[in-house]
Amino acid sequence: MKFNTKAIHGGQENIDPAYKSVMAPIYQTTTYSQTSPGNHNGYEYSRSGNPTRSALEKSLASIENGKHGIAFGSGLAAIDAIIKTLKPGDEVISTNDVYGGTYRLFNKIYKDFGIRFHFIGMQSVEKIESCINERTKLIWTETPTNPMMNIIDIEAISTVSKKHGILLAVDNTFATAYLQQPLDLGADIVMQSATKYLGGHSDVVLGSLVVNDDDIAKQLYFIQNASGAIPGPMDCFLILRGIKTLHLRMQRHSENGRAVAEFLKDHPKVENVYWPGLESHPNHEIAKRQMKDFGGMISFSIKGNSTKDAVKFLENLKVFTLAESLGGVESLAGHPASMTHASIPKEEREKIGIVDSLIRLSVGIEDKEDLLEDLKQALD
Ligand code: P1T
């Protein structure tokens, strides 16, 4: 099956053997009856497994072109499960331009468990290779990065990770499986905050991991059950429903993203625009190679770099909503320095470009004329 068909049907065969419902039923139950101890129909307790969650996990695996999908209660819970496969003394090389919550999880929780994180820019494969030693177990990437929209060359990094026998994990939240397929490019684990584009309607928090390797999958399923950060059946149902229109929404997000990026690029009050679809973007060529289109996430800075101007702009928006998160049908705007990335120290933030006037937009699927008009009046 091609992508759009997989988004709708992938892994959904025989979803309801009882009544043949077309949509996966919401199995709102904690437990399942057994005829004698251990004799059951495949499910015994809903932390260990739930049919609605299984339907979602199969869909997640299908759209990512992977073998195993594992769902969690949030994107961060999914990342947490990956780090739990490591041991004290192990080392991780992570992109330094990473979602603030991921940075906090690595630097404020797992550092104290004796795991060492190297945060570096990932534009140079040689630089990554120079950080590898015998304790390195994982390379953590995010592409496009949140919020600077850098593009990391997954295929190039996978040649290094394979050479050294290290796992490569890609946070695919901004691109989604529609725009980019990290497993096909050589990654071992692909993670998504399904809270964003997969759900698509800003009404569910959920995380996804997809892998091909049976042993890694076994380890992650074990952690999913042993640590228990699972999503509820209703949330799994909502993400399944969202995935069915992912391709349509991503096409419109990308189309509107282009219109907004081009408008901002030519605006006299705008300093820099970060959107990988612009030819002026430093990683445009890699983006063109590894992505189907460029999506609806855009960051830009306002000339003069003042927090006051950024705040005034955000307060004046009418169609865009000032809010954390991204990937819903509605357009959102945020201030990374004080919102999503406030957990990264100011000096670290500024080194990677998260200046005080940086604005991040999640361009929705409204009429683009209304979005441009809104940005214009707020900038004026
Ligand atoms: O919010 P949660 O579902 O736990 O996902 C965390 C996460 C992981 N990776 C990326 C790239 C993300 O953007 C996020 C969550 N991000 C936001 C809430 C935000 O506004 O950037």
Side-chain angles (χ1 to χ4, degrees):
M1 285 191 275
K2 292 205 174 71
F3 187 88
N4 301 350
T5 313
K6 284 203 286 192
I8 296 165
H9 299 290
Q12 305 304 292
E13 306 80 27
N14 199 24
I15 212 67
D16 176 22
Y19 299 110
K20 311 285 179 211
S21 66
V22 170
M23 291 301 297
I26 302 163
Y27 280 91
Q28 195 72 49
T29 184
T30 57
T31 193
Y32 309 81
S33 69
Q34 307 188 14
T35 48
S36 66
N39 193 0
H40 51 74
N41 280 0
Y43 295 93
E44 44 195 326
Y45 182 57
S46 277
R47 173 165 35 74
S48 316
N50 171 287
T52 317
R53 193 170 89 218
S54 300
L56 172 64
E57 289 174 333
K58 286 180 190 149
S59 168
L60 293 169
S62 168
I63 58 170
E64 289 285 9
N65 250 354
K67 209 162 143 197
H68 306 281
I70 310 122
F72 292 87
S74 69
L76 278 176
I79 302 173
D80 182 84
I82 299 173
I83 306 301
K84 282 195 176 115
T85 64
L86 306 178
K87 301 271 176 299
D90 287 350
E91 297 192 9
V92 178
I93 303 172
S94 166
T95 171
N96 57 2
D97 179 17
V98 70
Y99 169 56
T102 306
Y103 179 86
R104 182 177 55 199
L105 177 69
F106 291 174
N107 210 42
K108 290 266 161 62
I109 307 264
Y110 282 107
K111 200 170 91 179
D112 293 346
F113 281 67
I115 295 169
R116 182 147 181 235
F117 295 88
H118 302 268
F119 293 95
I120 61 166
M122 292 211 162
Q123 297 313 321
S124 146
V125 171
E126 292 75 34
K127 194 164 165 200
I128 296 171
E129 200 158 17
S130 73
C131 291
I132 295 176
N133 61 48
E134 69 284 359
R135 294 179 297 279
T136 312
K137 295 285 156 44
L138 175 71
I139 299 177
W140 181 265
T141 65
E142 193 180 284
T143 181
T145 59
N146 180 0
M148 295 312 299
M149 303 302 298
N150 287 310
I151 302 298
I152 295 171
D153 189 336
I154 300 170
E155 203 165 15
I157 296 183
S158 81
T159 57
V160 174
S161 65
K162 284 186 170 50
K163 180 171 143 197
H164 293 272
I166 299 166
L167 290 182
L168 171 62
V170 176
D171 183 334
N172 203 23
T173 300
F174 272 30
T176 78
Y178 174 74
L179 295 178
Q180 174 174 280
Q181 308 250 274
L183 296 179
D184 289 352
L185 295 168
D188 302 288
I189 305 176
V190 58
M191 175 266 157
Q192 281 190 75
S193 167
T195 315
K196 311 297 173 348
Y197 289 105
L198 298 191
H201 295 74
S202 305
D203 50 12
V204 196
V205 175
L206 196 142
S208 155
L209 297 181
V210 178
V211 302
N212 274 322
D213 184 274
D214 295 342
D215 290 336
I216 303 171
K218 210 167 142 197
Q219 242 184 321
L220 291 168
Y221 283 125
F222 178 81
I223 292 167
Q224 181 195 41
N225 181 43
S227 291
I230 45 120
M234 180 72 198
D235 288 353
C236 293
F237 171 84
L238 286 170
I239 297 294
L240 257 175
R241 181 161 81 161
I243 289 171
K244 289 176 194 287
T245 55
L246 177 67
H247 49 298
L248 293 176
R249 288 183 285 106
M250 291 312 289
Q251 284 161 22
R252 184 60 67 85
H253 283 296
S254 298
E255 187 185 318
N256 284 358
R258 173 170 298 282
V260 168
E262 282 176 355
F263 164 79
L264 291 171
K265 177 173 68 75
D266 296 330
H267 197 284
K269 287 190 182 164
V270 171
E271 180 85 53
N272 291 309
V273 181
Y274 305 96
W275 187 67
L278 291 176
E279 277 184 18
S280 54
H281 187 287
N283 318 126
H284 177 66
E285 287 307 315
I286 305 168
K288 250 186 5 194
R289 204 169 352 112
Q290 75 182 15
M291 297 172 76
K292 198 183 284 175
D293 204 334
F294 307 103
M297 293 304 297
I298 300 174
S299 293
F300 71 99
S301 53
I302 298 175
K303 278 187 185 153
N305 193 26
S306 104
T307 306
K308 205 164 136 246
D309 285 348
V311 169
K312 198 163 169 205
F313 167 80
L314 289 164
E315 286 173 352
N316 280 333
L317 289 167
K318 293 187 170 64
V319 180
F320 281 80
T321 303
L322 170 57
E324 304 245 357
S325 203
L326 59 114
V329 289
E330 66 290 311
S331 292
L332 301 181
H335 184 236
S338 66
M339 295 168 69
T340 46
H341 293 71
S343 52
I344 304 180
K346 189 172 162 70
E347 323 79 71
E348 294 299 316
R349 265 201 322 261
E350 289 189 342
K351 261 191 240 161
I352 54 174
I354 308 178
V355 295
D356 288 343
S357 75
L358 191 80
I359 307 281
R360 192 190 72 183
L361 301 177
S362 170
V363 179
I365 61 170
E366 300 94 337
D367 285 304
K368 57 175 167 284
E369 295 78 7
D370 291 329
L371 300 180
L372 299 187
E373 185 53 38
D374 192 32
L375 294 169
K376 183 174 177 308
Q377 64 79 25
L379 280 164
D380 286 349

